[in-house]
């Protein structure tokens, strides 16, 4: 009897299930879509696990551009290469990859520099298209275009991703896909911001505005670095008990500050301001408060929260000149995906970086709207969804 091999799908369209955002803020629609073969510099990926990030919720709600429908959201995932397009040499069928919203082409001056993780060959954009040719690889069964999200679109059983957005990994030892997928966005962003952007030093004081997954990942990074005080700020008192697992030592609820500005409370607690402040919510008012309570002379304020488009923050020029503080943004925590994700995986394998405690729920892909409900209601940190189990 001869063996029966599964016919190759390379070079052919694939029909699969996807959760499509048809109407902003409405439940995602589980439907069949067609995923075109990868073009040059692209790979088609079979998604194994995907998790839900707050950014997915933010753009799901947007009615105006950069919000757009129909769209396949999702950008935190792990998968297997099904096929590759022309001029792809670094990946082959069967490779395990982590897609990342931030490109890492490995060729431009910025990607080759240690000073930046912002690719200049394929600049990061919140685009509904593939990054090189400005078209889509998704259509519905009527042939209508479905838009991409952050160059990933992982809420589909198959997706097409540019190789600049793919990091090849080796799943050795005890690393499981339902943990490795977390490094695709939020956890890497928070830990990286503490390690790379802020370079938190042992014995220092850290203040974190917002104790969602990214804020707690900052705490995890600061804990590993040996910060003496990690002060968490959140409107939900129950976040303190959660935060303790990640290294939070003190907690402030803005509702308990009375007539005092939040920054004044922090300045008094820290006798002059924190060494490092991280804004992880995306509110300009909190960015201003974070800057106001980082220490004069050497304090650093790192903005990680995704604000609504066209939002503005205000700072007094006199304060900027005379305070000697640093204010900076940090996409993907300042990390370079292709080199730093494998490093984070190793730290997890060495039981240094604790990924398990971030996962509060695991669901089947068909339950994706439940995952949205859990995150919106504040009942989950990271909900991992299995595409096929």
């Amino acid at each position: 009897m001869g063996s029966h091999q599964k016919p190759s799908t390379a070079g052919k369209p694939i029909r699969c299930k996807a959760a499509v955002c048809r109407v902003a803020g409405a439940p995602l629609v589980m439907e069949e879509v067609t995923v075109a073969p990868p073009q040059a510099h692209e790979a088609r990926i079979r998604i194994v696990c995907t998790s839900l990030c707050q950014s997915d919720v933010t753009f799901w709600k947007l009615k105006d551009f950069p919000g757009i429908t129909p769209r396949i959201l999702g950008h935190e995932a792990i998968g297997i290469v099904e096929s590759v397009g022309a001029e792809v040499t670094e990946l082959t069928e069967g490779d395990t990859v982590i897609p990342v919203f931030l490109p890492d082409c490995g060729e431009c001056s910025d990607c080759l520099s240690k000073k930046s993780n912002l690719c200049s060959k394929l600049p990061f954009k919140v685009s509904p298209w593939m990054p090189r040719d400005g078209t889509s690889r998704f259509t519905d069964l009527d042939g209508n275009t479905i838009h991409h999200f952050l160059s990933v679109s992982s809420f589909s059983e198959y997706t097409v991703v540019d190789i600049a957005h793919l990091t090849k990994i080796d799943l050795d030892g005890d690393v499981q896909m339902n943990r490795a997928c977390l490094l695709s966005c939020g956890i890497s962003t928070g830990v990286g911001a503490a390690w790379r952007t802020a370079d938190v030093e042992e014995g220092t004081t850290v203040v974190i505005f917002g104790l969602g997954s990214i804020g707690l990942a900052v705490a995890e990074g600061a804990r590993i670095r040996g910060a003496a005080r990690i002060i968490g700020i959140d409107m939900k008192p129950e976040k303190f008990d959660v935060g303790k697992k990640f290294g939070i030592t003190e907690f402030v609820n803005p509702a308990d500050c009375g007539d005092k500005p939040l920054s004044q409370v922090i300045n008094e607690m820290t006798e002059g301001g924190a060494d490092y402040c991280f804004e992880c919510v995306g509110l300009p008012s909190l960015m201003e408060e974070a800057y106001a309570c980082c220490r004069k002379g050497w304090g650093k304020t790192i903005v990680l929260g995704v604000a609504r488009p066209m939002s503005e923050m205000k700072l007094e020029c006199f304060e900027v000149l005379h305070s000697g503080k640093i204010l900076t943004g940090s996409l993907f925590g300042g990390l370079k995906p292709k080199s730093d994700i494998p490093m984070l995986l190793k730290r997890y394998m060495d039981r240094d970086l604790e990924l398990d405690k971030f996962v509060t729920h695991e669901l089947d892909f068909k339950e994706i709207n439940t995952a949205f409900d859990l995150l919106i209601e504040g009942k989950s940190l990271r909900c991992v969804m299995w595409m096929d189990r």
Side-chain angles (χ1 to χ4, degrees):
M1 296 290 290
S3 61
H4 295 279
Q5 292 185 340
K6 186 177 180 180
S8 173
T9 51
K12 304 173 185 177
I14 288 178
R15 284 175 60 167
C16 68
K17 293 288 186 182
V20 181
C21 178
R22 290 281 178 184
V23 178
L28 303 186
V29 180
M30 194 67 69
E31 62 184 82
E32 276 203 334
V33 301
T34 300
V35 185
Q39 301 301 306
H41 308 289
E42 298 172 0
R44 188 160 56 189
I45 311 301
R46 177 176 64 84
I47 299 296
V48 177
C49 291
T50 184
S51 50
L52 182 62
C53 177
Q54 186 63 46
S55 296
D56 295 309
V57 175
T58 298
F59 283 90
W60 167 69
K61 292 178 178 179
L62 285 180
K63 296 181 179 180
D64 300 318
F65 193 83
I68 192 170
T69 57
R71 178 180 240 167
I72 297 175
L73 296 164
H75 64 285
E76 194 170 271
I78 190 169
I80 306 295
V81 174
E82 173 270 337
S83 60
V84 298
E87 301 182 55
V88 176
T89 58
E90 60 264 53
L91 295 174
T92 188
E93 180 182 344
D95 284 344
T96 301
V97 291
I98 290 179
V100 181
F101 72 91
L102 195 69
D104 185 355
C105 77
E107 300 172 355
C108 70
S109 57
D110 294 273
C111 287
L112 293 173
S113 170
K114 295 181 180 180
K115 298 179 181 179
S116 173
N117 70 340
L118 302 178
C119 180
S120 54
K121 182 178 180 180
L122 298 167
F124 169 71
K125 298 177 182 177
V126 184
S127 169
W129 311 112
M130 293 296 293
R132 295 184 198 249
D133 67 4
T135 62
S136 176
R137 302 291 172 267
F138 297 114
T139 52
D140 62 21
L141 296 190
D142 293 324
N144 300 310
T145 296
I146 300 177
H147 300 94
H148 289 253
F149 180 59
L150 294 181
S151 299
V152 176
S153 291
S154 61
F155 293 165
S156 174
E157 292 177 326
Y158 285 85
T159 187
V160 176
V161 182
D162 191 285
I163 57 171
H165 292 266
L166 290 171
T167 295
K168 179 181 176 180
I169 62 167
D170 294 317
L171 288 182
D172 296 327
D174 296 329
V175 178
Q176 302 297 319
M177 286 195 174
N178 58 344
R179 296 298 181 263
C181 69
L182 302 182
L183 299 178
S184 189
C185 181
I187 310 309
S188 294
T189 295
V191 173
W195 291 359
R196 185 67 49 81
T197 307
D199 193 17
V200 171
E201 297 175 315
E202 185 176 359
T204 53
T205 297
V206 171
V207 174
I208 303 168
F209 291 75
L211 298 181
S213 291
I214 291 180
L216 293 173
V218 171
E220 176 75 357
R223 176 193 67 79
I224 295 171
R225 278 293 184 92
R229 300 176 70 185
I230 305 176
I231 303 171
I233 300 173
D234 203 283
M235 295 294 293
K236 298 179 179 179
E238 60 269 22
K239 289 291 185 73
F240 186 30
D241 287 334
V242 175
K244 290 176 183 178
K245 302 175 184 177
F246 298 85
I248 298 292
T249 59
E250 298 156 74
F251 181 79
V252 174
N253 184 341
D256 298 332
C257 293
D259 295 332
K260 290 183 180 180
L262 182 56
S263 55
Q264 181 181 341
V265 172
I266 297 299
N267 282 326
E268 291 174 357
M269 288 177 63
T270 57
E271 298 182 350
D275 300 295
Y276 310 97
C277 291
F278 297 84
E279 199 282 339
C280 305
V281 179
L283 290 177
S285 59
L286 285 184
M287 297 174 192
E288 294 163 10
E289 289 279 50
Y291 184 77
C293 64
C294 72
R295 195 171 190 88
K296 291 183 179 180
W298 68 71
K300 293 182 181 179
T301 297
I302 295 90
V303 175
L304 299 172
V306 179
R308 292 186 64 85
M310 307 306 292
S311 299
E312 296 181 353
M313 61 180 297
K314 297 179 181 179
L315 299 174
E316 293 185 6
C317 295
F318 182 90
E319 174 70 9
V320 172
L321 174 63
H322 288 263
S323 67
K325 304 176 182 180
I326 293 173
L327 171 66
T328 184
S330 181
L331 274 178
F332 201 60
L335 300 178
K336 291 181 179 290
K338 292 185 188 294
S339 56
D340 287 325
I341 286 179
M343 176 272 294
L344 291 176
L345 270 178
K346 186 178 185 306
R347 298 295 291 266
Y348 172 62
M349 292 168 61
D350 293 342
R351 304 183 186 278
D352 187 14
L353 175 61
E354 300 174 2
L355 295 178
D356 296 352
K357 59 192 178 186
F358 286 95
V359 179
T360 54
H361 299 79
E362 294 195 38
L363 301 174
D364 293 332
F365 180 47
K366 64 184 178 182
E367 300 174 281
I368 189 168
N369 288 310
T370 299
F372 269 73
D373 292 339
L374 289 169
L375 184 59
I376 292 168
E377 294 167 5
K379 296 178 180 178
S380 74
L381 293 177
R382 274 298 183 267
C383 179
V384 175
M385 289 167 282
W386 291 88
M387 307 304 284
D388 183 18
R389 70 167 184 176

